Structures are given as C-alpha cells and as structure tokens.
Amino acid sequence: MLRRLRRVPSVLLPLVLLGTLAACGNDTGSDASSGPLSAVSISGDPGKAPEVSWKQQMETTGIQSTVLHQGDGPAVKDGDSIYANFWIGDGYTKKKAYSTYDTGQPQLIKVDSSSLSPVFKEAVEGHTIGSRVAVTAPADKAFGPTGNPNLEIGNKDAVLIIVDLLSTVLDGPQGAQKPAPAWAPKLETKGDAVTGLDFSKAPKPDGKLHSAVLIEGTGATVAKGQTITVNYLGQVYGGKKPFDESYSKGQPTSFGIGTGQVIPGWDETLVGQHVGSRVLLAIPPKDGYGKQGQPSAGIKGDDTLYFVVDILGAH
C-alpha cells in the first residue's frame, strides 16, 4: 500500500476480533435490568459514544448479549462485512478500556466464523443494522487465559462490550453501466475484479484531473470526513502492470476521505460519489505524488496515475 493512499489506524484490537478464543455457552437476549448489566447504566443514542455509569463491580461467568436498541436494517449474516463502533469497559476497575468513538472512525469487520472471536461474533451476527448490542463476558473467555494486558484487563475481570452496527459493505460495485469517456483506457477484468488497464488506444494525458463513473451506484453519497471502503487498482499511463491494487488480496481497504489521508486527486474526486459506484480517475502529478513521484512504486514525477475505484461502503 502506497504512503498517503491509506493511513492505518494506530490502535487495533486483534485480541477482540481474532477467533482463537475459547467460548462457553451464551444467554442471548438477557434483561438489561438483571444479570451482569445490572451493574451499569447505559444511555445515549446508537451511533454516538455510549454513556456508561457504573453502579457496582460487574460479575459474570458466561457470555451474555442484550439488544439495547433494535435497528431496522438487514440482519447481519456470516460472511458479511460491516462498519461498527465498539466500546470496551473493565467491570472490575469500572473504567473504559478502549473505544473506537475516540478515534472518530468506525471499524470494518468481516463476520467470519473462522476468524472472529466468539464474544464479538455474539455482538454482531444475527442482529440488525442500526442496533446497539451489549455483551458481557469474563476476560479469560473474551481474550484468553491472560486477559488483555494491553488494555489493562485482568484475566478474572468481567468485560463489557457495547457495539453499534452501523452499515453493511458491498461485495462489489452495484448499479447501472455507463459509457467510458474518450480519455479512458480499457479495463481488463476477471469477474468483478479489475486486473489491469490497457492504454493501447487511450490518448496521452492532458495534465488535467479527470473522473468518470463507469458503474453508477445507488447507495449513500460519500461525504467529506467519512470512512470509505474500496477496492482499487492503480497504474501509470502506458504502464504494463499495476503499481498497486487490492482486488487480489481478498480484502478491501478503508480510509478517511476528504481529509488529507489519501492523495489529493482521490479526496477531490471521490467525495460526492455514490456507494456502489465504480469510478475511473486520471490524476496528474500535482494531484498525486507531486514532482518527487513515488520511486519505491516506480512512479516518476511526471507520471499520470490512472485508478479504478469501487466504492463499497461509507460511514
């Protein structure tokens, strides 16, 4: 991944998401006024950071989930990709341990039975988009026998996880096909994946920033400051192969848009597009990597960059 194409979040929680954890039975749909959740008061609107007030230390022996707010979106299934925010608290110290709300960017989560932790899977699978779900569990069942030292959660502590299910992410572009402009190279594809660009009949770049919608999605409009999820391929004009792409990796990438996390040509052209769209970009040096280029990727200071971008989600 090229520098300034994506900024990787500085804090990740692999021990929350990985499926190497042991899971005992669960008690779904428990009453928030009884059981472990009786130790806290949770308020606030879904989509915003929850307000958690501790009444007493939390105790729990198993994994329990409670729907605090029922969303009206589709139910999340195994194999889906979703945006979610989550809040983690330590029921022994009665303190917040981590919150994605603090970073301002939701997490992209693949709901995969083979890799997602049972605790987190309990919080998302089967619940509807728009829901807020609370899950309680002993730390050794949530994180393993040592608890989570990185979050200062002991192995005997009770853990509270609050998850807001925000939106789903598409598997590929969805919408009406649009004719390619005269400046466009030919796309080489395999199924929904773009494998390369053929410049044999494309005119020389004119030094201007261009964008064209090849598939017009019908999803939400991308707004400045959102996190978007995309598949993409980049190739310099006349290049024989891509200098970077995500299609073959089996996992799209996410980043903030319109805020300088990516090259200027992306910020300027992708804001205002619709989720589900496939967009073709021609980006001159001044809107890409400048006169210095990106030597590590074989990009010279006078190269025009061409990108295909499939916008799969935005939140």
Side-chain angles (χ1 to χ4, degrees):
M1 175 65 67
L2 294 181
R3 186 175 63 86
R4 294 191 66 206
L5 193 55
R6 179 179 64 169
R7 178 181 299 165
V8 178
S10 59
V11 179
L12 297 176
L13 290 177
L15 291 180
V16 174
L17 302 178
L18 292 179
T20 58
L21 314 177
C24 295
N26 61 69
D27 177 18
T28 61
S30 60
D31 185 355
S33 63
S34 62
L37 286 184
S38 64
V40 296
S41 174
I42 303 170
S43 60
D45 296 328
K48 297 180 180 179
E51 299 171 10
V52 180
S53 177
W54 297 91
K55 304 174 186 177
Q56 61 196 40
Q57 285 185 339
M58 179 180 287
E59 296 182 357
T60 184
T61 58
I63 302 172
Q64 299 183 11
S65 68
T66 302
V67 177
L68 303 178
H69 174 83
Q70 182 74 45
D72 57 7
V76 177
K77 307 182 299 298
D78 185 74
D80 285 349
S81 293
I82 66 168
Y83 285 121
N85 270 320
F86 56 92
W87 184 100
I88 299 175
D90 186 329
Y92 178 76
T93 62
K94 299 184 290 185
K95 294 181 179 180
K96 177 180 70 174
Y98 181 77
S99 171
T100 62
Y101 295 96
D102 295 341
T103 69
Q105 290 189 345
Q107 295 290 308
L108 175 64
I109 299 167
K110 178 74 170 180
V111 184
D112 185 345
S113 297
S114 65
S115 62
L116 196 63
S117 96
V119 172
F120 211 86
K121 191 169 184 289
E122 181 69 31
V124 297
E125 187 175 12
H127 299 298
T128 54
I129 293 297
S131 294
R132 169 168 284 180
V133 182
V135 179
T136 57
D140 58 354
K141 291 186 172 116
F143 302 115
T146 62
N148 193 324
N150 291 330
L151 298 181
E152 298 183 351
I153 296 176
N155 65 336
K156 298 300 183 182
D157 297 355
V159 177
L160 170 63
I161 303 174
I162 302 170
V163 181
D164 285 346
L165 310 181
L166 301 176
S167 62
T168 55
V169 177
L170 301 176
D171 292 330
Q174 296 181 7
Q177 296 274 349
K178 295 294 180 180
W183 55 264
K186 180 181 177 182
L187 271 62
E188 299 172 340
T189 60
K190 183 177 181 180
D192 280 340
V194 181
T195 59
L197 301 174
D198 179 0
F199 293 98
S200 60
K201 296 183 179 180
K204 291 183 179 180
D206 61 7
K208 297 179 181 179
L209 177 65
H210 293 283
S211 66
V213 175
L214 302 181
I215 298 176
E216 188 168 16
T218 58
T221 302
V222 174
K224 180 180 179 179
Q226 285 189 312
T227 295
I228 66 172
T229 297
V230 307
N231 268 322
Y232 70 94
L233 178 142
Q235 196 165 327
V236 300
Y237 177 79
K240 300 302 181 183
K241 62 181 182 179
F243 58 78
D244 197 14
E245 56 86 26
S246 66
Y247 293 97
S248 67
K249 298 176 175 63
Q251 179 70 26
T253 187
S254 298
F255 50 84
I257 194 67
T259 58
Q261 293 190 27
V262 293
I263 56 177
W266 279 45
D267 275 342
E268 187 169 338
T269 57
L270 297 183
V271 171
Q273 303 288 353
H274 290 275
V275 172
S277 295
R278 170 169 286 175
V279 185
L280 179 64
L281 311 176
I283 302 179
K286 65 182 179 63
D287 296 308
Y289 295 98
K291 295 180 180 179
Q292 74 277 10
Q294 192 80 353
S296 62
I299 298 173
K300 301 189 297 293
D302 59 353
D303 279 335
T304 295
L305 312 179
Y306 286 72
F307 284 98
V308 181
V309 183
D310 292 344
I311 305 174
L312 306 178
H315 200 89

